[in-house]
Amino acid sequence: MRASRLVAVIVLVFAIACAFYLFQRRTTTAGFVAAADLPAFHQLEERDIRRSEVSAADLPDGTVRSRSELIGHYTMGRVQQDHPFDRAGLGPELPPHSVTGMAIMGLDLTPASSLGGTLSAGDLVTIVQVPDGKGLAPVASDRIRQVRVLAVVKDQKAILVALNPDQAKAFSSGAASRPRILVLRTTPYSGP
């Protein structure tokens, strides 16, 4: 008799757990998802976003609930089609086409290059390539101005910046003879 009660209790607990799971999966809420697979550092436009019913269980804590909170922001990593947007996976809102056609470059994250930890995504900086050698000082051509910081990735000790084609060419041509990098913030991020 005891064995049959134990089996009945186990079956009942299992049935309740299954019902709860199915209820969670069926509960949906309106949200905004990627309309297509999106690459990292893609600036969001209207065509990249669609409204969809999403399982409540699949929504991250920082789910964006308004289309206006998405337009102009950029993705910090790849976003799969039909995946909801998460605030933690988005960079700040930038003026239109701020990332389009840009080369994404990584710089070493140091206390100096991160401006003592105050550098953040969206800031505009000047990158100074410093010649390797005693007595040599950087000249005006060693400066790359108006460079947008896209991310400060502390765990990978990197600063990711967006360079237009001319800036990328200047950066690459100076890299061998000017291996040290200084970062000077010219404009802290304050919005688009």
Side-chain angles (χ1 to χ4, degrees):
M1 194 70 160
R2 283 187 166 183
S4 63
R5 282 188 184 180
L6 181 60
V7 170
V9 169
I10 291 172
V11 168
L12 179 62
V13 169
F14 181 73
I16 290 171
C18 287
F20 179 75
Y21 174 77
L22 290 174
F23 177 75
Q24 278 288 94
R25 298 297 299 172
R26 288 183 18 181
T27 303
T28 61
T29 185
F32 292 95
V33 300
D37 288 341
L38 301 173
F41 304 108
H42 173 80
Q43 194 167 6
L44 297 174
E45 300 176 16
E46 190 73 34
R47 68 175 182 229
D48 301 318
I49 304 161
R50 70 178 178 78
R51 188 175 168 90
S52 178
E53 290 294 318
V54 180
S55 168
D58 292 338
L59 289 177
D61 289 338
T63 300
V64 178
R65 305 239 184 228
S66 165
R67 186 179 298 271
S68 64
E69 292 179 54
L70 292 168
I71 304 296
H73 292 263
Y74 57 90
T75 59
M76 298 292 282
R78 290 185 4 225
V79 180
Q80 294 179 337
Q81 182 175 357
D82 297 326
H83 193 272
F85 290 100
D86 181 6
R87 280 184 183 82
L90 297 175
E93 182 179 3
L94 299 177
H97 310 292
S98 292
V99 184
T100 306
M102 298 292 214
I104 310 304
M105 305 284 278
L107 306 175
D108 289 335
L109 176 67
T110 65
S113 68
S114 69
L115 307 176
T118 63
L119 191 67
S120 62
D123 287 353
L124 285 174
V125 298
T126 295
I127 296 173
V128 182
Q129 293 177 290
V130 181
D132 191 22
K134 294 182 179 179
L136 296 176
V139 294
S141 62
D142 297 330
R143 288 171 171 72
I144 304 170
R145 292 172 166 49
Q146 295 295 97
V147 176
R148 180 75 64 182
V149 174
L150 296 179
V152 178
V153 189
K154 293 178 182 173
D155 62 332
Q156 295 181 16
K157 297 184 179 176
I159 300 169
L160 300 178
V161 296
L163 301 173
N164 68 36
D166 292 336
Q167 291 170 325
K169 184 177 178 183
F171 183 85
S172 296
S173 67
S177 61
R178 296 168 187 86
R180 290 187 21 229
I181 302 290
L182 296 177
V183 176
L184 309 170
R185 180 174 34 219
T186 54
T187 310
Y189 177 74
S190 63

